[in-house]
Amino acid sequence: MDPVSMVVGATIALGAFLAGRILTRRQARQSLEQQRREEQARTPYGGPQQPQPLCGCGHHLVFHDRESRKCMTQVVIPGRWTGQSGSTYRQCMCQGYRGPIPVDEYYAPDLLEGNGP
């Protein structure tokens, strides 16, 4: 083989390799930036999201009765599971709230209240 054609072929191969590396890095960087933007859009005010009091059944604490702690929401049963043409609703089978207990919020008055030291 001609040495010039080998050098040209090696140059083409090296150029293709470098172009592939640069393009994949750019795509990876763009996908990371997109994930970061989506995550910031989900959180209020762009800050860290507060943990939510979700029960094991997947429902929020507000859907559970205060005294009995039972879940008061209805869940959808798709018709394909029961052999019916449409979906049906039934009471959630959760027996009691089993999620994290939120910390009570207390009001503390200002120490100075305009009196000044």
Side-chain angles (χ1 to χ4, degrees):
M1 292 189 77
D2 185 13
V4 174
S5 63
M6 290 181 69
V7 170
V8 169
T11 305
I12 291 172
L14 182 64
F17 175 76
L18 292 176
R21 293 282 294 201
I22 291 171
L23 289 177
T24 54
R25 282 187 182 173
R26 181 182 298 161
Q27 290 172 352
R29 189 178 314 122
Q30 287 175 351
S31 67
L32 285 174
E33 288 176 9
Q34 181 180 1
Q35 286 177 351
R36 190 177 307 123
R37 276 187 260 119
E38 288 174 359
E39 195 170 311
Q40 286 178 350
R42 279 184 286 180
T43 59
Y45 309 112
Q49 187 176 8
Q50 297 292 326
Q52 296 294 318
L54 293 178
C55 182
C57 65
H59 298 121
H60 198 273
L61 174 63
V62 297
F63 296 115
H64 291 79
D65 187 24
R66 289 186 183 261
E67 286 82 29
S68 67
R69 311 286 280 181
K70 286 190 177 186
C71 191
M72 295 291 141
T73 56
Q74 291 185 347
V75 293
V76 178
I77 302 173
R80 63 177 180 267
W81 291 357
T82 59
Q84 299 173 354
S85 61
S87 299
T88 58
Y89 295 92
R90 69 164 171 80
Q91 188 74 24
C92 182
M93 300 300 289
C94 177
Q95 295 297 315
Y97 178 73
R98 300 283 184 251
I101 306 294
V103 178
D104 293 333
E105 294 182 12
Y106 294 101
Y107 172 74
D110 293 336
L111 295 176
L112 298 178
E113 291 189 8
N115 297 341

